[in-house]
Amino acid sequence: MKSALVTGAAGFLGYHICAQLLKEHYYVIGLDNFITGSPQNISDLKNAYPEKFYFANHDVSTPWEVWQNWQNSIPTECFTSLVSVFHFASVASPHLFDKCSLEILAANSQGLKNAIAFADQHKAQVIFASTSEIYGSSTQPLNENNWGYVNSFGPRSCYDEAKRFGEALIYSSNLVNNTQHGVVRIFNTYGPRMNPTDERVVQQFIKNALENKDFLIYGDGTQTRSFCYVDDLISGIIMYAQSKISDPLNLGNDHEITIVALAELIQQLIPCSSKIQFSNKRRDDPIKRQPELKKAYQMLMPWKPTVPLQEGVLRTIQHIKGVSSYAT
Ligand SMILES: NC(=O)c1ccc[n+]([C@@H]2O[C@H](COP(=O)([O-])OP(=O)(O)OC[C@H]3O[C@@H](n4cnc5c(N)ncnc54)[C@H](O)[C@@H]3O)[C@@H](O)[C@H]2O)c1
């Protein structure tokens, strides 16, 4: 028997990690305080795996000693067979950076420190959800040797610097305690179960098209992103955990597209009267985001993203239509 703990289990990626681990016969303990996560995700996991999925409502940035109490309601084997702690709890949507900046800083520092202490106690490996944002601004494809160009004192600093601190904390913990905790640098990922209110671009454009509302693009729309379908990302993350790698690794999809081209693709896929409107560029918004994935291809062979953007967007549209009252 193997078990894993997933923080941020009620969120977009946390849900999918739990679901995949449960499919692979792990026991899973989920942790979340629902700051952006969905109770529906937790009840879907509980209903599908009543004997294997356990959940605790907890803010990861506050002490985890309360575990002593929770241990009574979770089978002891879940703790004795713990192999991985996926630390994914963090607000991630840029439109919440102002409102939740202190929570973001706490979840990726004290919250991560708590996760590491818990994992060390159970001889498990932490997988820390870092981000492409640690690279900051760049005009080149990003590889793991790039040290980044990041503003430490601006509207995105709470997120970018929290993740950079998290990586440094993993590095130092490994050095001091001789552990092998790992870091995945996640590039823009989309798919079913993204939080419908969090305004990330794929989700937002789909919602707008379904409601015949105009698309709003910040800047002139020539900025690029590389979007990864969630199933591709999750298989990479789980392979990373199972390989016991601890080097930071880029994970995502390297197919690059401008934001205008993304808007046009969604206009083609959803017949709508939505037009594209432009607004001022957001401060510190990166102009290019493309991962170099050579290292991931070598270390996780045969992993590769396989879902083309159009196919992934269609699947996401189907999901959004199915879970909401959008008229077609
Ligand atoms: N989705 C992406 O494209 C992407 C890209 C790079 C990095 N990431 C990272 O992956 C992780 C998950 O992102 P997501 O897209 O699923 O976001 P999300 O908002 O859907 O999920 C985050 C989850 O963490 C929970 N959470 C936040 N702070 C918490 C706290 N203090 N205690 C307990 N729970 C807390 C939220 O309630 C939510 O359920 C984040 O760490 C994010 O930075 C995501």
Side-chain angles (χ1 to χ4, degrees):
M1 167 181 171
K2 276 191 201 167
S3 62
L5 184 143
V6 180
T7 74
F12 167 48
L13 298 182
Y15 167 86
H16 286 284
I17 291 175
C18 292
Q20 186 55 36
L21 290 169
L22 289 159
K23 261 189 225 154
E24 294 186 19
H25 309 295
Y26 281 70
Y27 283 69
V28 177
I29 306 168
L31 217 61
D32 207 292
N33 67 351
F34 298 113
I35 185 171
T36 55
S38 150
Q40 184 69 48
N41 286 342
I42 297 302
S43 48
D44 289 352
L45 290 167
K46 270 193 186 157
N47 291 338
Y49 298 94
E51 305 288 320
K52 292 197 154 179
F53 179 70
Y54 300 89
F55 177 72
N57 184 336
H58 184 66
D59 178 343
V60 292
S61 310
T62 62
W64 286 28
E65 275 74 49
V66 281
W67 273 106
Q68 313 313 332
N69 307 333
W70 294 334
Q71 287 196 1
N72 300 332
S73 53
I74 297 173
T76 321
E77 301 79 52
C78 286
F79 298 96
T80 50
S81 62
L82 194 76
V83 288
S84 305
V85 173
F86 293 85
H87 187 60
F88 277 61
S90 170
V91 171
S93 174
H95 96 283
L96 295 172
F97 286 178
D98 281 355
K99 193 171 148 221
C100 301
S101 55
L102 297 178
E103 287 83 355
I104 293 170
L105 287 159
N108 292 286
S109 54
Q110 187 59 48
L112 176 61
K113 195 163 177 254
N114 292 339
I116 291 171
F118 184 79
D120 287 349
Q121 194 186 334
H122 294 90
K123 303 204 175 341
Q125 184 193 28
V126 172
I127 309 298
F128 174 53
S130 184
T131 167
S132 57
E133 302 302 325
I134 60 106
Y135 294 116
S137 187
S138 171
T139 54
Q140 299 301 315
L142 296 156
N143 69 48
E144 288 84 351
N145 298 325
N146 182 321
W147 290 358
Y149 184 74
V150 177
N151 181 0
S152 65
F153 200 77
R156 299 177 75 95
S157 312
C158 60
Y159 188 71
D160 303 3
E161 293 294 355
K163 294 293 185 182
R164 289 175 69 90
F165 177 86
E167 290 202 10
L169 185 57
I170 294 278
Y171 180 88
S172 297
S173 302
N174 285 346
L175 188 71
V176 172
N177 300 324
N178 200 20
T179 48
Q180 286 212 303
H181 302 308
V183 173
V184 284
R185 293 182 179 155
I186 301 167
F187 284 67
N188 295 66
T189 301
Y190 69 98
R193 295 185 189 260
M194 294 186 83
N195 180 332
T197 64
D198 82 4
E199 295 185 16
R200 279 183 266 184
V201 65
V202 175
Q203 164 101 2
Q204 190 60 39
F205 286 174
I206 293 175
K207 272 176 56 187
N208 288 3
L210 291 171
E211 293 171 355
N212 287 308
K213 288 186 181 156
D214 288 351
F215 298 176
L216 182 62
I217 292 183
Y218 297 98
D220 63 5
T222 57
Q223 67 269 38
T224 69
R225 296 293 182 268
S226 311
F227 295 102
C228 184
Y229 188 67
V230 63
D231 290 0
D232 284 332
L233 179 86
I234 299 300
S235 63
I237 292 173
I238 290 178
M239 282 177 82
Y240 178 92
Q242 292 172 343
S243 319
K244 302 275 176 222
I245 302 166
S246 56
D247 270 9
L249 197 64
N250 286 347
L251 285 178
N253 187 317
D254 53 9
H255 172 75
E256 192 184 23
I257 183 171
T258 65
I259 295 297
V260 166
L262 175 72
E264 288 167 352
L265 172 69
I266 291 173
Q267 280 175 323
Q268 276 168 31
L269 297 178
I270 305 175
C272 62
S273 57
S274 311
K275 298 197 175 43
I276 300 175
Q277 307 281 357
F278 295 91
S279 163
N280 290 341
K281 180 181 180 293
R282 279 178 166 159
R283 209 178 125 200
D284 298 341
D285 195 26
I287 51 169
K288 181 181 172 86
R289 266 285 165 270
Q290 186 187 27
E292 204 181 280
L293 295 172
K294 256 187 231 155
K295 192 170 168 186
Y297 294 158
Q298 275 165 8
M299 299 189 93
L300 304 182
M301 212 181 305
W303 178 83
K304 259 188 194 315
T306 57
V307 182
L309 184 61
Q310 177 158 333
E311 168 65 25
V313 169
L314 279 170
R315 290 188 204 173
T316 310
I317 294 169
Q318 290 314 321
H319 179 81
I320 291 176
K321 283 183 181 169
V323 297
S324 64
S325 56
Y326 291 113
T328 47

